[in-house]
């Protein structure tokens, strides 16, 4: 005697258009989580218009793919956000997850100079920061993450060459993965461009710095190590320490240092550029 599988549930009064098959994904593997896109506040999501590759499906799963770069204050990981079983365009993307440390957080070099003029909303948090207590370290990690998030959003909306900021959740920022030929784009410091491309890189960087100072902001820690070379275009990264050109007493000093750092690298590659000249040109854009 054979036992046939029971027929699927049918209801003669139910419109077939409302019947669909589904597969449950209750158990996720280690290193996976449900997408956090809908669990964060709307203001914690990237600016409009969003690129079409941003995955917003509630069915998406986040999968850690491994570490990309370690740093003193944060580590960068590759993370895939994808809808299981879907091959549709817009249902899968690889992102960079930058995660700031909390209790292990080590403050930025001369952090007080960068944060001049910034405020912490809660007095308890401000006291904890000054005491450098355990809670203060947690607050510091959050403040630096928020600072970079705000800087990424502002720069993206100004049309600057920065990764698109996808979302922020606590001390984790998800952002666009900048690639070249399917691999992580190299840092400018790792490249040896031909003279024509080298000159183009400098022009791009000068234009980006001019746009920043026109809007009163300075990167504050710019060098060939936090600029990516994605083929023939440059992308500026690592923005938590962005300062106000006028509001920060050291704003001009930071701008001059940025000019010196980048010009020194271009000089070592054979391009005749002068940091003082670049600084003067940028100041003319600022006022």
């Amino acid at each position: 005697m054979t036992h046939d599988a029971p027929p699927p549930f049918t209801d003669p009064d139910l419109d077939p258009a409302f019947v669909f098959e589904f597969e449950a994904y209750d158990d996720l593997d280690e290193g996976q989580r449900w997408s956090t896109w809908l669990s964060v506040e709307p203001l914690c999501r990237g600016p409009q218009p969003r690129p079409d590759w941003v995955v917003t499906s509630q069915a998406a799963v986040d999968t850690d793919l491994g570490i990309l770069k370690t740093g003193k204050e944060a580590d960068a990981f590759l993370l895939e956000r994808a809808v299981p079983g879907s091959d549709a365009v817009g249902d899968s993307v690889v992102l960079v997850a930058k995660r700031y440390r909390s209790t292990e957080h080590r403050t930025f070099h001369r952090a007080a100079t960068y944060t001049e003029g910034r405020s912490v909303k809660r007095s308890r948090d401000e006291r904890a920061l000054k005491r450098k207590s355990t809670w203060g370290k947690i607050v510091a990690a959050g403040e630096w993450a928020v600072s970079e998030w705000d800087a990424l959003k502002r720069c993206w909306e100004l049309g600057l060459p920065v990764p698109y900021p996808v979302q922020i959740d606590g001390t984790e920022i998800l952002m666009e993965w900048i690639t070249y030929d399917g691999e992580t784009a190299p840092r400018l410091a790792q490249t040896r461009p031909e003279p024509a491309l080298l000159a183009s890189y400098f022009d791009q960087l000068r234009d980006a710095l001019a746009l920043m100072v026109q809007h009163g902001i300075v990167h504050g820690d710019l060098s060939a190590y936090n600029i990516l070379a994605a083929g023939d275009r440059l992308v500026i990264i690592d923005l938590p320490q962005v300062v106000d050109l006028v509001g920060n007493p050291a704003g001009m000093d930071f701008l001059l240092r940025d000019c010196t750092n980048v010009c020194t690298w271009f000089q070592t590659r054979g391009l005749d550029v002068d940091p003082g000249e670049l600084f003067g040109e940028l100041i003319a854009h600022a006022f």
Side-chain angles (χ1 to χ4, degrees), residues 18-236:
F18 292 94
V19 178
F20 61 92
E21 295 182 1
F22 72 95
E23 183 175 354
Y25 296 94
D26 294 327
D27 298 323
L28 298 180
D29 294 332
E30 184 178 353
Q32 291 187 317
R33 71 187 183 195
W34 292 107
S35 168
T36 55
W37 175 262
L38 292 178
S39 65
V40 300
E41 297 292 333
L43 290 178
C44 294
R45 301 173 195 149
Q48 298 276 12
R50 297 189 182 106
D52 56 10
W53 50 261
V54 176
V55 177
T56 60
S57 172
Q58 191 171 4
V61 172
D62 292 346
T63 304
D64 272 336
L65 301 180
I67 195 158
L68 180 64
K69 177 182 178 294
T70 60
K72 293 180 180 179
E73 293 79 28
D75 295 324
F77 298 79
L78 286 181
L79 178 144
E80 181 188 43
R81 173 165 288 177
V83 177
S86 175
D87 295 325
V89 176
D91 275 355
S92 177
V93 66
V94 176
L95 305 170
V96 170
K98 187 170 183 178
R99 295 164 184 164
Y100 282 85
R101 297 190 180 94
S102 52
T103 53
E104 303 90 358
H105 176 78
R106 288 187 286 171
T107 56
F108 285 78
H109 181 53
R110 291 181 294 179
T113 309
Y114 286 116
T115 58
E116 187 79 31
R118 295 184 190 174
S119 61
V120 179
K121 292 182 179 180
R122 298 198 306 176
S123 59
R124 171 177 176 254
D125 293 345
E126 189 169 3
R127 291 194 300 271
L129 281 170
K130 290 179 178 178
R131 291 197 306 269
K132 298 182 180 180
S133 65
T134 299
W135 176 248
K137 292 178 182 179
I138 295 173
V139 172
E143 286 297 308
W144 284 111
V146 170
S147 177
E148 179 155 29
W149 171 253
D150 289 342
L152 278 170
K153 285 198 305 179
R154 185 177 181 187
C155 289
W156 174 267
E157 291 171 332
L158 289 175
L160 284 157
V162 298
Y164 176 77
V166 175
Q167 70 172 70
I168 182 172
D169 185 10
T171 57
E172 178 190 74
I173 299 175
L174 299 185
M175 66 184 80
E176 178 184 4
W177 179 33
I178 305 299
T179 63
Y180 180 62
D181 283 346
E183 301 291 336
T184 302
R187 294 174 185 268
L188 183 60
Q190 299 171 312
T191 68
R192 292 187 175 274
E194 295 297 323
L197 182 57
L198 185 70
S200 172
Y201 280 167
F202 184 77
D203 289 341
Q204 291 178 50
L205 197 54
R206 179 178 55 200
D207 291 345
L209 289 172
L211 184 56
M212 291 179 78
V213 298
Q214 284 172 9
H215 291 85
I217 54 178
V218 180
H219 185 283
D221 192 30
L222 193 62
S223 74
Y225 291 94
N226 45 33
I227 302 170
L228 301 181
D232 59 0
R233 72 184 183 103
L234 296 183
V235 180
I236 298 172

